[in-house]
Amino acid sequence: MTALPTLLVLDAEPPPRLGRLTGRARVVHTDETGLAGLLPGADVLLVWDFASHAVRSAWPGDGPRPGWVHTASAGVDHLMCPELAASDTVVTNARGIFDAPIAEYVAALVLAMAKDLPRTLEFQREREWRHRESRRVAGTRAVVVGSGPIGREIARTLKALGVTAAVVGRVPRTGIHGPDDLDRLLARADWVIAAAPLTERTRGMFDLRRFGVMQPSACFVNVGRGQLVDEDALVRALEKRWIAGAALDVLTSEPLAADSPLWRVPGLLVSPHMSGDTVGWRDELGAQFVELFERWVAGRPLRNVVDKQRGYVPGH
Amino acid sequence: MTALPTLLVLDAEPPPRLGRLTGRARVVHTDETGLAGLLPGADVLLVWDFASHAVRSAWPGDGPRPGWVHTASAGVDHLMCPELAASDTVVTNARGIFDAPIAEYVAALVLAMAKDLPRTLEFQREREWRHRESRRVAGTRAVVVGSGPIGREIARTLKALGVTAAVVGRVPRTGIHGPDDLDRLLARADWVIAAAPLTERTRGMFDLRRFGVMQPSACFVNVGRGQLVDEDALVRALEKRWIAGAALDVLTSEPLAADSPLWRVPGLLVSPHMSGDTVGWRDELGAQFVELFERWVAGRPLRNVVDKQRGYVPGH
């Protein structure tokens, strides 16, 4: 008999679908405080609590450690650290699960802003019948920053609504613009969608200068990571009407504190990091991990392997 | 020299684009009170104020009257009366102008309800970070009641988002279901969209029985005419959670009175009859009328001719 591999799960509660691993793994749950002590004895780490940054500080600099880390999220910024990047540990992510839900969420935000829906709801609350003209979406232009599967699916969904959508990635390739095109595209866009991974290249990329390049009629949407955006610069751009509106589903600090001024910036819609989380998403994440685990046990190549230097899964 | 035709315009202000008729028509403006006195001397009536029902009572039972009436709206319910229907006066409408804007508006409402956007805005006002799961739109089912260009464009737009959309019309034909299929389709639909003309057949068709047929998870949207819906029945259906939500862009009484209970029904979104009115719509309506006027002057057949018995432009 071979010893069962130890699967360490970073989360207070058992993830769904992991019952299928019964008898095939020794499953150990931990919270953030127990993580450092348990990592050396684990073969696999499942980062189910994707809001936790505990892996960064708990990762062992040397000695035994898991050979594989999987995160139930698209982004890996919350767990990457130089020691993990330098190690031979394989990191995988939840690539694929969030693409279509996030694309629909972006379409919902774009259409809501075009049709002035937030103000309609305000007028309803005030019992005021205020007819206004609204904007067509077809025929407008979007630029999607982030050329992974999420960004590309956002572009595809907006195109289905008649929007001309350009995608910008780190490297230009067929159908994808490179960083050199970004400012020109921003200057023409009606909708600017941030859907990039958080890396040292993308951190703070939406700053005062870039908001200044955008059209006064443009709206900005962030469904990537809060730290892509200089939030002070965004507030200033909205206050000075450099842009017409914005929606942030991700924020530099989550959950957003009740006393944050961001809750009440005119023209800014704030939602609680929910764009990808449609009914059944936790089941899908659990099933995806089980499938990867079965590959790993069988010695077959894993999917969704993150390039630890770049900070995302390279691909098409 | 031939006498210029008299164009009577029902509206307080001059519509855009009619300057092109200078020297080709004697343009007379009137409000509702002056309408009856001026109708006998008019060759053409342009009903620009589509919210007015004055034509019904002012239309002459006999004697001279306009040979052509155009309304700057898709619906003709506000002007049709037995005398007009029985006369040889031609009635035309604004077919085509509102199709795509209304379809986008419906997509905005469907996505907003799927993504729980109204509650997100409430939580934002309360400074509460409340993550929830939301619904996918792709893979859901819609039934669109109304098989004119607006209903068909709504179906096309929802299909572009991955929704299975069935269209129901007065008569079954290729790609269009007949009334016999309606209840079965309602019972399976996630989204029920009312986009039918208001006729004696459609008045009050969304009643307590029909809301009772729908799924508890279904949402109802009305962008047709308020009188398609028994509003009391809709409120009861929402209160009893027979359906999950509703959005009314059109209401039985417009503008909705400030003391109407409809402003504050949980799960009901009310907007001020604005779904078709995107920036530039008045220009488009004016240009459309000028084009029809030029046809009429040249003796060429008019387009968008309403079947006065049915109450809409019959078509494909």
Side-chain angles (χ1 to χ4, degrees), chain A:
Chain A
M1 263 185 64
T2 323
L4 290 178
T6 297
L7 166 60
L8 181 61
V9 179
L10 174 56
D11 198 78
E13 292 178 24
R17 304 294 188 102
L18 262 63
R20 286 181 57 187
L21 302 183
T22 305
R24 299 154 73 191
R26 195 173 71 91
V27 181
V28 180
H29 287 270
T30 183
D31 58 11
E32 292 191 344
T33 54
L35 185 65
L38 290 164
L39 272 176
D43 298 293
V44 179
L45 171 65
L46 168 58
V47 183
W48 189 259
D49 177 4
F50 47 81
S52 168
H53 292 186
V55 177
R56 274 199 218 144
S57 46
W59 192 257
D62 49 21
R65 53 203 166 191
W68 170 36
V69 175
H70 177 78
T71 177
S73 60
V76 298
D77 48 284
H78 57 300
L79 54 89
M80 291 309 299
C81 58
E83 293 76 11
L84 176 52
S87 73
D88 56 2
T89 294
V90 174
V91 175
T92 58
N93 76 353
R95 184 184 178 95
I97 304 285
F98 299 105
D99 308 353
I102 292 178
E104 286 188 355
Y105 198 85
V106 169
L109 292 173
V110 163
L111 279 163
M113 292 192 281
K115 305 307 176 186
D116 206 21
L117 204 54
R119 281 216 305 159
T120 293
L121 291 162
E122 280 179 38
F123 287 131
Q124 179 176 356
R125 212 173 55 246
E126 304 297 329
R127 301 169 168 272
E128 280 184 51
W129 182 270
R130 288 263 207 111
H131 179 274
R132 290 102 61 210
E133 293 182 358
S134 66
R135 292 166 73 180
R136 283 295 306 276
V137 162
T140 60
R141 289 167 189 266
V143 53
V144 181
V145 179
S147 62
I150 294 173
R152 296 199 311 271
E153 183 67 14
I154 291 169
R156 201 200 59 75
T157 302
L158 293 178
K159 283 177 187 168
L161 293 167
V163 177
T164 304
V167 176
V168 178
R170 195 179 67 94
V171 178
R173 50 197 198 274
T174 308
I176 310 283
H177 294 266
D180 290 350
D181 292 341
L182 179 58
D183 286 355
R184 182 177 55 81
L185 291 166
L186 289 179
R188 300 174 176 204
D190 299 290
W191 316 101
V192 177
I193 318 295
L198 178 62
T199 68
E200 286 318 306
R201 285 168 183 267
T202 62
R203 186 180 299 274
M205 68 178 291
F206 292 97
D207 56 11
L208 205 56
R209 190 188 69 76
R210 286 222 163 89
F211 289 120
V213 169
M214 297 178 196
Q215 302 186 99
S217 57
C219 291
F220 174 76
V221 173
N222 189 8
V223 288
R225 282 291 180 268
Q227 292 86 345
L228 300 177
V229 177
D230 176 343
E231 289 170 347
D232 291 338
L234 174 61
V235 170
R236 199 166 149 198
L238 286 166
E239 285 173 350
K240 291 182 175 288
R241 305 202 185 239
W242 291 359
I243 63 173
L248 300 180
D249 185 57
V250 287
L251 291 119
T252 300
S253 173
E254 296 181 7
L256 189 63
D259 62 356
S260 168
L262 288 175
W263 288 114
R264 295 283 175 91
V265 179
L268 178 61
L269 194 158
V270 171
S271 60
H273 201 147
M274 61 186 279
S275 72
D277 306 343
T278 46
V279 172
W281 67 298
R282 289 166 56 89
D283 277 348
E284 285 183 56
L285 288 170
Q288 183 185 51
F289 174 74
V290 168
E291 192 190 322
L292 287 171
F293 188 88
E294 286 169 350
R295 285 180 161 265
W296 180 79
V297 165
R300 285 184 292 150
L302 287 171
R303 287 185 181 138
N304 302 0
V305 175
V306 171
D307 179 323
K308 294 186 289 180
Q309 302 307 321
R310 294 193 195 165
Y312 54 88
V313 180
H316 314 288

Side-chain angles (χ1 to χ4, degrees), chain B residues 1-298:
Chain B
M1 261 184 68
T2 324
L4 290 178
T6 297
L7 167 60
L8 181 61
V9 179
L10 175 57
D11 199 76
E13 291 179 23
R17 303 295 188 102
L18 262 62
R20 284 181 59 186
L21 301 183
T22 305
R24 298 154 74 190
R26 195 172 73 89
V27 181
V28 179
H29 287 271
T30 183
D31 59 11
E32 293 191 345
T33 55
L35 184 65
L38 289 165
L39 271 176
D43 298 293
V44 178
L45 172 65
L46 168 58
V47 183
W48 189 259
D49 176 5
F50 48 81
S52 168
H53 293 186
V55 176
R56 276 199 216 142
S57 45
W59 191 258
D62 50 20
R65 52 203 168 194
W68 171 34
V69 175
H70 178 79
T71 176
S73 60
V76 298
D77 49 285
H78 57 301
L79 52 89
M80 291 309 298
C81 58
E83 293 77 12
L84 175 54
S87 74
D88 55 3
T89 294
V90 174
V91 175
T92 57
N93 76 352
R95 183 182 178 96
I97 304 286
F98 299 106
D99 308 353
I102 292 178
E104 285 188 356
Y105 199 86
V106 169
L109 291 172
V110 163
L111 280 163
M113 292 192 281
K115 305 307 176 187
D116 206 20
L117 205 52
R119 282 216 304 159
T120 293
L121 290 163
E122 280 179 38
F123 287 131
Q124 179 176 355
R125 214 172 53 247
E126 305 297 329
R127 299 168 169 274
E128 281 186 50
W129 182 271
R130 287 262 208 111
H131 179 274
R132 291 101 62 209
E133 293 183 358
S134 67
R135 293 167 72 182
R136 282 296 306 275
V137 162
T140 61
R141 289 167 189 265
V143 53
V144 181
V145 179
S147 61
I150 294 173
R152 297 199 309 271
E153 183 67 14
I154 291 169
R156 200 199 60 75
T157 302
L158 293 177
K159 283 177 187 168
L161 293 167
V163 177
T164 303
V167 177
V168 178
R170 194 179 67 93
V171 178
R173 51 196 198 275
T174 308
I176 311 284
H177 294 266
D180 290 351
D181 292 343
L182 180 57
D183 285 356
R184 182 177 56 80
L185 291 166
L186 288 179
R188 298 173 176 207
D190 298 290
W191 317 102
V192 177
I193 318 294
L198 177 62
T199 68
E200 286 319 305
R201 285 168 182 267
T202 61
R203 187 180 298 275
M205 67 178 291
F206 291 98
D207 57 12
L208 206 57
R209 189 187 69 75
R210 286 222 162 89
F211 289 119
V213 170
M214 297 178 197
Q215 302 187 98
S217 57
C219 292
F220 174 75
V221 173
N222 188 8
V223 288
R225 282 291 179 265
Q227 292 86 346
L228 299 176
V229 177
D230 177 342
E231 288 169 348
D232 292 339
L234 174 61
V235 171
R236 199 166 149 198
L238 286 166
E239 284 173 352
K240 290 183 176 289
R241 305 201 184 238
W242 291 359
I243 62 174
L248 301 179
D249 185 56
V250 287
L251 292 120
T252 300
S253 174
E254 296 181 6
L256 189 63
D259 63 356
S260 167
L262 288 175
W263 289 113
R264 295 284 176 90
V265 179
L268 177 61
L269 193 159
V270 171
S271 60
H273 200 147
M274 62 187 276
S275 71
D277 307 343
T278 45
V279 172
W281 66 299
R282 290 167 55 89
D283 277 348
E284 286 184 55
L285 288 170
Q288 182 184 52
F289 174 73
V290 167
E291 192 190 321
L292 288 171
F293 189 88
E294 286 169 350
R295 287 181 160 263
W296 180 78
V297 165

